Each structure stands twice: as C-alpha cells, then as structure tokens.
C-alpha cells in the first residue's frame, strides 16, 4: 500500500471513528435526557393529576378505592359503618358461605396456597382438573381450561387464536379485556353497533371475504348496561357466515337460565353452537380467575400456546376449591338464581316506577341508573354513601360522557327492604341534585381543567 493510499485510509478511519464518537455522544445525550423524564413528567400522569385536582377544586370526595373492613356481600363495613352494598359481584351471596370457607380451608391444608409455578413446569394439581371438569359439565363441552384472571383469559385467548390476516368483530360494548386481546393479536378489528345483528351482518358481508379467520365476540349480560346479547341472532349469522363465536359469560353464569348456566340456557340454545365459552371465576364462582370451555382441540391449543397459561402461574388451589364449591352450590340450590332474578326485577321495577332511567337493563344482576354527567354521578355516589349505601359511579371514559351512571350489582343475598330503601334514596338524591341544578356540563369541566392547566 503506498503512502497516499495509507493516509487516505487513515483519514477515512478517523472519519469513521469521529462518526462513531458523535453517535455515542448523541446517544449519551439522548439517554441522559431520557433518564431525566420522570413518570410524573408524562402527559398521561399530568392528565390523571389534573382530573384529581379538578375534583378537589370542585370539593368532591373520591368514591373509588374505599377500604372495606370485612367480607363484603349484601352489606359492607366501611369507615366503621355498615352499608347496604351494591358494589359486589358476589351474585349468589356466597362470600360468607361456610361451605365455601370450609372447602377453601381444607384445600389450604392439603395444597398450601400457591400452585408453585406454571402448570406446564410445576405440574397439575388434581383440583385444577376437577374445576375444569365442572366447567365443561356446565357447557357440555369436550374440555375447559382455567387461567389466573378473567381479564387475562380474554387477552391471551384472543391474541393466541387471531393474527394480522384475521378479523375480529365485536359488540361495541365489549369489555376492555377483549379489546386488549384484539390489539395484541394484530388482527383487524371492527365493532358492530350494540346488539345490532344487521350491522354485524353488514361488516361480515363487506370485510369477511378479505380475511382468513373471523372471530365474533359478544357478552351474555353486558357489564355496564345489564342487557342480554342476542345469542339466537349471533348463532343464525354464524351458520350463514362461518365465523368463530366467542361469548363472555362473566356476568351471565349463575344469573341467566333456570339453573344459572348462562345465555345458552336462557335462550334454549345448544351450547355447542358457540365455539368459545369464556367466563370469570370472580363473580358467581366467588373466587378469582377465568376460564375457556370448548372443543378439545381449542383447549389443547391454548394449554400449549397461550402465553397467559404457559408462562403464568397455575390458579392457586384454594381459588380452584372455592370455585368448585360455589358451582356445586349453584347446582344444588337453583333457588339462589331465582332469588337473584326476583331481587333484580324488584330493583328494576321499583326504580322505573319512580322515574329513574335504568337504560337498557333487563333486570338480571346489573342495573345502571343513568345520571348524565360524570361529576353528578360522583356526587350522587358520595351522597348515597353518606346515606348508607355503597354503589359506585361509572364515569367517562368507561362510558360516554352524558351516560355516566350509578351501577348497582344485585345479588341473591339482598332483601327486598334493602332494595326498596336504596332505590328511594337514589330518587331523593337525584331529584335534589337536579333541582339544585347540580352537575357540570362538559364545558364547565373543560373550564376548570383549563384553569388548572394554566397555573
Ligand atoms: N369480562 C367482563 C365482561 C367483565 O366485566 C370483567 C370484569 N369484571 C372481565 C371480563 C374480567 O374479569 P376479572 O375481573 O375476573 O378479571
């Protein structure tokens, strides 16, 4: 190599080194400035804090995260007081039941608390198979599998089955867990208007042919509105367009149907018409966790491929035991389902009779009272709390602003007097808030937020 070539090469190497150094310096600068970004600098955090300060500015107590001092059911102990409680999923009133507590205690004695690790590596506990078999009995399905959370069940099932070439169409009121599952799957997503089969069919006709797999997801009883999905309509469309149908029965198990088997029993439909039965163990089953029931192939696939099963710890045996025992009570005491239905109907009819807006509710376990703006819903919930009732507001963004509500979960354990006096308290509070013109248009709220932002 001659001298000029050598000098040229050295110069190029120095240039390259300089580029590397500049890159390093830039990266250091970037990461230095990145390390200066605290979580409290994030716009998302600022928004949360601004909302918090806005409610302080408006002198409103926070109705969320109140600490309960005992096992809640139809009554709850909060701040040393006993309140009529309408904020519990314990639909069959089993949270205090001695049989459930005994089964749980016995299982702790046998298995301890933890399932140790993922069932893949830690091995099964006999109690898992027992729970899965009681769930397949309900759906008359080939198999079932349980997961550690209901939320996770939707996320991991949908994201395992669907991918970018596929289409998921769901009711617009679908729970957030389903939505997260679809996002994670990378599938195309469309919603159909709430319970509107014509809208669903329009989407199936226009978009169906361009996709490989199609999954339609709906809920037995809708968690925010308390109405029932049009399962016969969904099954009829499934026959015509050949999609997979998934039903989230979180709020329907133990609630719909004479024996509480859920929406298929309610409509007298063969459960095999639905490909994926999903549900949670946190409501009727008085435990924690989620499940899928369906064909053996579906369950085998999920047990092998669903991240939320393979890479997550097995359901704690004690939770499996509580769920098994609760499902046993459901089988043995169908009168609990009847009591739940009667209580829900009493609530709905009394509320409607006194002029409350109960939205779409059909009077099966979930009854909302629509209050209009979010702040009025919060104020009403706080005043109810003072008057001895625990019922929480559902506010924007969980529901659209203008449709904020108080949501009442009715259970088999409530009694009629409790229900009637609660409805009457709601009427008195909402009437007074209306007379005082209490409440804020979204313009008012915007103004407060802007004032806070400018400080
Ligand atoms: N699906 C629906 C319809 C729900 O309402 C919920 C929450 N209650 C879930 C899934 C998630 O269930 P879990 O709270 O048991 O995780």
């Amino acid at each position: 190599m001659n001298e000029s070539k050598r000098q040229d090469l050295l110069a190029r190497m120095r240039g390259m080194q300089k580029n590397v150094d500049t890159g390093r310096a830039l990266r250091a600068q970037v990461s230095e400035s990145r390390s200066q970004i605290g979580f409290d600098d994030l716009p998302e955090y600022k928004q949360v804090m601004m909302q918090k300060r806005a409610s302080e500015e408006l002198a409103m107590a926070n109705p969320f995260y109140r600490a309960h001092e005992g096992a809640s059911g139809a009554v709850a102990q909060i701040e040393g007081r006993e309140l009529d409680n309408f904020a519990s999923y314990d639909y069959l009133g089993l949270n205090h039941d001695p049989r459930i507590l005994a089964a749980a205690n016995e299982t702790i004695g046998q298995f301890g608390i933890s399932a140790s690790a993922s069932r893949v590596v830690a091995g099964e506990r006999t109690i898992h198979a027992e729970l899965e078999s009681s769930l397949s009995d309900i759906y008359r399905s080939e198999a079932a599998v349980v997961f550690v959370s209901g939320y996770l069940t939707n996320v991991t099932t949908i994201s395992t089955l669907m991918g970018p070439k596929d289409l998921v169409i769901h009711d617009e009121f679908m729970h957030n867990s389903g939505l997260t599952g679809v996002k994670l799957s990378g599938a195309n997503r469309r919603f159909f208007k709430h319970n509107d089969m014509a809208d669903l069919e329009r989407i199936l006709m226009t978009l169906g042919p361009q996709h490989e797999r199609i999954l339609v997801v709906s809920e037995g009883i809708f968690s925010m509105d308390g109405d029932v999905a049009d399962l016969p309509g969904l099954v009829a469309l499934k026959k015509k367009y050949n999609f997979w149908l998934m039903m989230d029965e979180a709020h329907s198990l133990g609630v719909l149907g004479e024996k509480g088997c859920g929406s298929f029993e309610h409509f007298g439909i063969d459960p095999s018409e639905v490909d994926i039965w999903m549900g949670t163990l946190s409501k009727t089953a008085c435990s924690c966790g989620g499940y899928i029931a369906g064909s053996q192939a579906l369950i085998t696939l999920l047990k092998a491929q669903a991240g939320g099963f393979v890479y997550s710890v097995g359901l704690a045996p004690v939770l499996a035991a509580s769920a098994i025992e609760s499902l046993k009570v459901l089988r043995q005491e169908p009168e609990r389902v009847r009591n739940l239905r009667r209580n829900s109907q009493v609530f709905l009819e009394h509320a409607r009779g006194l002029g409350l807006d109960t939205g779409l509710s059909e009077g099966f376990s979930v009854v909302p009272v629509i209050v209009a703006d979010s702040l009025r819903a919060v104020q009403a919930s706080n005043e109810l709390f003072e008057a001895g009732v625990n019922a929480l507001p559902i506010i924007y963004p969980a529901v659209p602003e203008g449709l904020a509500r108080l949501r009442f979960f009715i259970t088999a354990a409530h009694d009629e007097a409790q229900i009637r006096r609660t409805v009457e308290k709601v009427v008195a509070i909402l009437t007074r808030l209306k007379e005082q013109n209490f409440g804020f248009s979204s313009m008012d709220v915007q103004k407060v937020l802007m004032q806070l932002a400018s400080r």
Side-chain angles (χ1 to χ4, degrees):
M1 187 186 294
N2 65 28
E3 184 54 22
S4 79
K5 263 196 177 155
R6 203 174 71 85
Q7 289 299 338
D8 184 39
L9 189 61
L10 278 174
R12 285 207 339 250
M13 281 168 66
R14 273 196 294 273
M16 276 157 66
Q17 185 58 42
K18 203 169 154 209
N19 285 344
V20 171
D21 291 345
T22 316
R24 270 203 196 118
L26 274 175
R27 273 201 298 280
Q29 245 177 20
V30 169
S31 69
E32 192 184 322
S33 64
R34 192 183 297 134
S35 71
Q36 283 162 4
I37 302 176
F39 294 119
D40 50 1
D41 289 318
L42 296 177
E44 295 87 341
Y45 174 80
K46 286 189 172 140
Q47 192 182 350
V48 172
M49 291 316 285
M50 202 143 78
Q51 281 163 353
K52 198 162 175 282
R53 279 169 52 202
S55 58
E56 280 160 14
E57 198 81 1
L58 298 164
M60 302 187 95
N62 181 356
F64 305 108
Y65 299 107
R66 285 197 174 114
H68 290 231
E69 288 133 15
S72 292
V75 293
Q77 284 78 35
I78 306 175
E79 295 175 8
R81 292 158 63 218
E82 190 159 278
L83 293 105
D84 290 329
N85 187 30
F86 290 88
S88 162
Y89 295 145
D90 180 18
Y91 288 136
L92 298 188
L94 296 175
N95 204 17
H96 297 271
D97 191 291
R99 293 165 290 182
I100 315 291
L101 302 183
N105 281 326
E106 201 180 299
T107 305
I108 290 175
Q110 186 181 355
F111 290 104
I113 305 290
S114 170
S116 311
S118 161
R119 283 163 62 182
V120 178
V121 292
E124 301 280 8
R125 302 294 180 272
T126 45
I127 204 154
H128 290 141
E130 203 183 319
L131 173 57
E132 286 163 354
S133 136
S134 6
L135 289 163
S136 355
D137 284 349
I138 292 175
Y139 296 100
R140 308 201 288 270
S141 65
E142 289 174 4
V145 59
V146 291
F147 300 82
V148 287
S149 125
Y151 192 97
L152 173 78
T153 305
N154 272 335
V155 172
T156 201
T157 300
I158 297 174
S159 62
T160 301
L161 295 174
M162 306 304 282
K165 293 181 185 156
D166 306 328
L167 174 66
V168 182
I169 318 174
H170 62 86
D171 191 286
E172 65 177 317
F173 288 3
M174 178 176 71
H175 191 258
N176 175 278
S177 50
L179 207 57
T180 306
V182 186
K183 282 188 192 157
L184 187 61
S185 76
N188 279 329
R189 180 177 75 85
R190 290 288 182 283
F191 67 80
F192 57 95
K193 286 190 206 133
H194 180 51
N195 237 346
D196 184 335
M197 294 301 110
D199 196 37
L200 170 58
E201 181 158 25
R202 185 188 56 76
I203 300 170
L204 285 162
M205 281 193 304
T206 49
L207 291 178
Q210 301 146 41
H211 292 88
E212 279 182 12
R213 307 171 187 179
I214 303 174
L215 175 69
V216 172
V217 191
S218 193
E219 283 174 29
I221 290 182
F222 287 90
S223 61
M224 297 292 173
D225 293 81
D227 57 336
V228 180
D230 179 1
L231 184 58
L234 291 164
V235 168
L237 285 178
K238 175 182 155 56
K239 287 189 175 139
K240 198 163 161 193
Y241 293 94
N242 286 324
F243 50 79
W244 288 327
L245 177 58
M246 174 168 179
M247 292 299 292
D248 179 337
E249 295 280 291
H251 297 274
S252 333
L253 178 69
V255 180
L256 287 180
E258 282 302 301
K259 293 190 216 143
C261 291
S263 51
F264 73 86
E265 194 194 1
H266 176 76
F267 287 109
I269 282 176
D270 190 315
S272 66
E273 301 282 11
V274 171
D275 305 274
I276 307 172
W277 287 107
M278 178 272 166
T280 61
L281 301 173
S282 56
K283 296 157 181 92
T284 281
C286 198
S287 180
C288 184
Y291 63 86
I292 295 288
S295 69
Q296 184 61 61
L298 169 69
I299 304 307
T300 303
L301 172 65
L302 292 175
K303 284 175 86 169
Q305 300 258 306
F309 181 84
V310 176
Y311 300 104
S312 191
V313 69
L315 186 72
V318 59
L319 294 175
S322 321
I324 291 169
E325 197 59 31
S326 303
L327 296 178
K328 212 181 276 172
V329 174
L330 172 62
R331 274 198 305 279
Q332 289 165 353
E333 298 174 7
E335 63 274 17
R336 283 178 188 265
V337 181
R338 286 198 290 279
N339 292 346
L340 166 59
R341 182 117 8 115
R342 187 206 53 219
N343 287 346
S344 306
Q345 287 297 326
V346 169
F347 192 107
L348 186 73
E349 279 162 24
H350 197 40
R352 280 196 186 146
L354 293 179
L356 293 176
D357 178 359
T358 51
L360 302 172
S361 179
E362 294 182 37
F364 298 107
S365 69
V366 179
V367 183
V369 172
I370 314 291
V371 170
D373 67 273
S374 294
L375 291 172
R376 193 186 295 194
V378 170
Q379 180 69 14
S381 168
N382 284 340
E383 292 197 16
L384 266 179
F385 184 75
E386 291 310 317
V389 177
N390 188 40
L392 287 220
I394 306 288
I395 58 176
Y396 178 81
V399 289
E401 187 56 57
L403 288 178
R405 60 200 62 190
L406 294 164
R407 181 172 55 168
F408 295 84
F409 290 115
I410 322 295
T411 75
H414 285 114
D415 64 44
E416 191 166 336
Q418 233 184 340
I419 293 171
R420 290 191 177 276
R421 68 173 174 254
T422 295
V423 169
E424 284 150 28
K425 285 174 187 172
V426 176
V427 173
I429 289 168
L430 290 185
T431 309
R432 195 166 32 71
L433 290 179
K434 206 168 177 185
E435 281 165 7
Q436 291 171 349
N437 214 8
F438 183 98
F440 300 86
S441 66
S442 37
M443 286 296 287
D444 293 327
V445 177
Q446 284 304 323
K447 263 188 247 156
V448 174
L449 291 177
M450 275 164 57
Q451 273 170 19
L452 289 170
S454 63
R455 282 187 195 166

